[in-house]
Amino acid sequence: MKVFKRKIYSKMLDWKESRDGSTALLIKGARRVGKSTIAEEFARNEYESYIIVDFADAPAALWEAVENISNRDYFFMQLQFIYGVRLKERKSVIIFDEIQKCPKVRQAIKYLVKDHRYDYIETGSLLSIKKNTTGIVIPSEETRFTMYPMDYEEFEWALGNVGAIPLMKQMFETRKPFGDAVTRDLLRKFRLYMLVGGMPQAVETYLGNNNLVEVDTKKREIIELYLDDFEKIDPTGKAARLFKYIPAQLTTSASRFQARSIIGYSIEEDKTAELLKDLEDSLTVNISHHANDPNVGLALHADYKRYKMYVGDTGLFITLAFWDHSVSDNIIYQKLLSDKLSADLGYVYENIVAQMLTANGHQLYYYTWPTESGKHNYEIDFLLTEGNKICPVEVKSSGYKTHASLDAFKAKFSDRILRNYLIYTKDIRKEGDITLLPAFLGIFL
């Protein structure tokens, strides 16, 4: 598989230099997001030798060695024999791939780190699912990084374009317009990223043939893998159904994800919460909670029974939205490529903004309240905090510049607001105290 430049690599370097083996590095993320690839690339470049222990496909001898992991000398000797690699003290790293499949080794990390002969990198998904943690003590000697799908800058790097994003950031910071022609060209490139998505295998497929039909096929394979995982977590199929219905739920005017309408009103509230926790732990979804009081310390005012759910990768989201249709019938592909996305498909832009904000480290929150007539709701799609103030974000799928919800929010909470953002599909501009940003500049929020 092609190795793409990923931002997490520099964080891994910082870990190696600053921790000097005092912690193991745990890279968590959704399946097929590139964890194993970046771990091996890092090991190859930064150490004299390395061993990859893949618990998803380990030989019988490995499991015998694990049973004797408390005897470190024997365990390390066995690893070197099994994998034919000589380990060098403080110059080698052992990668435990798919660590969730071997809880015993994860628990032993504390003692392996204390031994201090080698460095350790763990990769895994579904790390907190009960069956992966039952009966073990989760080690505190882990430095944990979350790996997300390739962001827009990483996607541009993959396409060989290293100069565009720094220039975009400069324009974002100065609030200077690009001009209509340049904005259209940049939005076209950004829409390609939305269609392909940031899963490395989908990006590699696109680079290989520029064929979106084959890209869609690759994305379907990844989604099938996720659905299989959900079936293993929850054999009733409810977790898989929740995931599959994310696009349909976002098209409704409801102010929350209606889980019970999907999996049955008779299900206990605790069971629903458990399913959602498992979905969140899979890192295949991004969940936004309703902020009952939109103020600094949003987590203190979050309503965990009211939430919206987004797919972690927008490329997968688009494929999932038309799961029962072939790519040739997928109107989102057609309309995004031709820049004719109608208002009722605006949830695609909402999903990509959720993805960008999550990648930047934001917890997702939104806010709704009744209009004056009481017949409808105002809604702020995302709330960000900066210092002791908040920044409301409203998302539009077109160049339409009306922003009734943002205006009403400003009137209601003016003393709490630092900046107001409208994300849409035209050039950057200021309109009073609202900053209107083309969608691709969402990567800087």
Side-chain angles (χ1 to χ4, degrees):
M1 181 176 177
K2 183 176 175 61
V3 179
F4 295 109
K5 180 181 178 182
R6 304 297 298 271
K7 293 178 180 178
I8 198 172
Y9 195 101
S10 61
K11 295 173 66 177
M12 296 169 72
L13 278 175
D14 289 342
W15 161 78
K16 182 177 185 291
E17 293 169 3
S18 63
R19 298 305 176 95
D20 189 31
S22 63
T23 65
L25 175 61
L26 173 64
I27 305 174
K28 59 181 181 176
R31 292 247 263 156
R32 300 294 172 88
V33 81
K35 303 182 299 296
S36 304
T37 302
I38 200 68
E40 183 172 7
E41 178 72 0
F42 186 78
R44 183 184 299 112
N45 294 340
E46 309 301 334
Y47 294 88
E48 291 188 15
S49 67
Y50 64 94
I51 288 174
I52 299 179
V53 179
D54 182 359
F55 289 113
D57 186 27
L62 186 276
W63 297 109
E64 293 178 8
V66 166
E67 291 304 311
N68 297 285
I69 197 169
S70 59
N71 183 339
R72 254 79 70 193
D73 290 340
Y74 179 76
F75 178 67
F76 294 140
M77 181 185 68
Q78 287 294 91
L79 286 185
Q80 292 175 86
F81 275 121
I82 293 167
Y83 292 98
V85 174
R86 182 185 175 191
L87 295 173
K88 302 178 182 180
E89 190 166 329
R90 300 305 314 138
K91 295 180 180 179
S92 298
V93 61
I94 301 172
I95 300 171
F96 295 122
D97 199 16
E98 303 289 356
I99 189 68
Q100 77 279 358
K101 295 183 180 294
C102 190
K104 186 171 184 177
V105 168
R106 190 175 182 201
Q107 179 172 260
I109 284 293
K110 174 179 181 178
Y111 306 102
L112 295 178
V113 166
K114 186 177 180 180
D115 179 89
H116 204 245
R117 264 178 269 188
Y118 313 114
D119 282 356
Y120 304 93
I121 298 175
E122 306 163 84
T123 75
S125 55
L126 306 168
L127 287 163
S128 299
I129 301 300
K130 285 182 181 178
K131 68 178 182 180
N132 296 331
T133 57
T134 300
I136 73 166
V137 177
I138 301 299
S140 58
E141 294 77 12
E142 289 177 335
T143 297
R144 301 175 186 179
F145 294 156
T146 301
M147 191 171 187
Y148 297 104
M150 296 169 70
D151 68 16
Y152 183 44
E153 184 168 21
E154 291 171 329
F155 181 77
E156 286 290 319
W157 290 343
L159 268 58
N161 187 356
V162 298
I165 304 298
L167 290 174
M168 289 182 193
K169 186 173 184 180
Q170 182 179 341
M171 303 299 273
F172 170 79
E173 291 173 345
T174 61
R175 301 292 196 265
K176 291 182 178 178
F178 294 88
D180 290 343
V182 172
T183 300
R184 284 194 297 271
D185 182 58
L186 293 174
L187 282 166
R188 178 183 57 79
K189 294 176 180 177
F190 185 70
R191 292 195 303 272
L192 176 64
Y193 167 63
M194 293 169 68
L195 289 170
V196 174
M199 303 305 287
Q201 289 181 332
V203 176
E204 183 176 13
T205 300
Y206 175 74
L207 291 176
N209 50 39
N210 291 355
N211 187 321
L212 289 175
V213 174
E214 293 192 23
V215 172
D216 191 75
T217 299
K218 180 58 65 176
K219 290 190 292 177
R220 286 171 187 264
E221 292 174 3
I222 295 171
I223 291 172
E224 291 281 10
L225 184 69
Y226 289 175
L227 295 176
D228 287 345
D229 282 343
F230 297 146
E231 293 285 352
K232 293 173 186 174
I233 295 170
D234 172 49
T236 69
K238 291 183 174 68
R241 282 177 62 81
L242 288 174
F243 180 76
K244 290 180 72 173
Y245 274 80
I246 291 174
Q249 285 282 306
L250 286 177
T251 64
T252 70
S253 58
S255 62
R256 69 178 75 185
F257 191 92
Q258 305 287 343
R260 291 195 173 189
S261 68
I262 299 170
I263 59 178
Y265 286 94
S266 61
I267 190 171
E268 301 89 345
E269 192 170 286
D270 289 347
K271 180 60 177 176
T272 302
E274 184 180 333
L275 290 173
L276 290 169
K277 179 65 180 69
D278 288 347
L279 277 174
E280 192 169 21
D281 184 71
S282 73
L283 293 169
T284 60
V285 303
N286 297 319
I287 296 180
S288 178
H289 293 283
H290 190 274
N292 291 339
D293 180 18
N295 209 338
V296 175
L298 289 167
L300 299 174
H301 312 290
D303 184 345
Y304 291 97
K305 294 181 181 179
R306 295 178 66 188
Y307 54 89
K308 289 190 170 187
M309 190 148 52
Y310 303 93
V311 178
D313 178 73
T314 302
L316 297 184
F317 176 91
I318 289 173
T319 295
L320 192 62
F322 284 78
W323 187 248
D324 296 327
H325 300 267
S326 69
V327 65
S328 60
D329 296 326
N330 190 328
I331 62 172
I332 297 183
Y333 276 83
Q334 300 165 16
K335 290 182 178 294
L336 263 176
L337 284 173
S338 60
D339 193 21
K340 294 180 180 178
L341 194 68
S342 58
D344 62 340
L345 296 176
Y347 53 81
V348 179
Y349 279 94
E350 198 173 324
N351 198 92
I352 190 66
V353 173
Q355 180 181 340
M356 291 188 289
L357 295 179
T358 298
N360 285 345
H362 294 289
Q363 296 294 314
L364 302 181
Y365 298 96
Y366 72 104
Y367 181 64
T368 63
W369 72 106
T371 61
E372 291 76 8
S373 68
K375 296 180 180 179
H376 305 284
N377 281 336
Y378 291 120
E379 180 170 314
I380 297 298
D381 297 306
F382 301 101
L383 291 168
L384 311 180
T385 59
E386 190 172 336
N388 62 349
K389 297 286 186 178
I390 58 175
C391 302
V393 180
E394 189 173 348
V395 181
K396 299 284 187 181
S397 62
S398 65
Y400 198 48
K401 298 187 292 293
T402 59
H403 33 73
S405 292
L406 203 51
D407 291 339
F409 188 85
K410 287 193 303 170
K412 189 176 177 69
F413 300 109
S414 60
D415 59 328
R416 305 181 183 184
I417 297 173
L418 178 64
R419 278 182 281 272
N420 303 282
Y421 292 109
L422 177 76
I423 294 181
Y424 74 146
T425 58
K426 294 292 182 182
D427 200 356
I428 186 171
R429 59 182 293 233
K430 288 281 289 183
E431 189 175 279
D433 57 356
I434 299 176
T435 301
L436 286 74
L437 298 176
F440 53 80
L441 291 185
I443 60 173
F444 302 122
L445 291 180

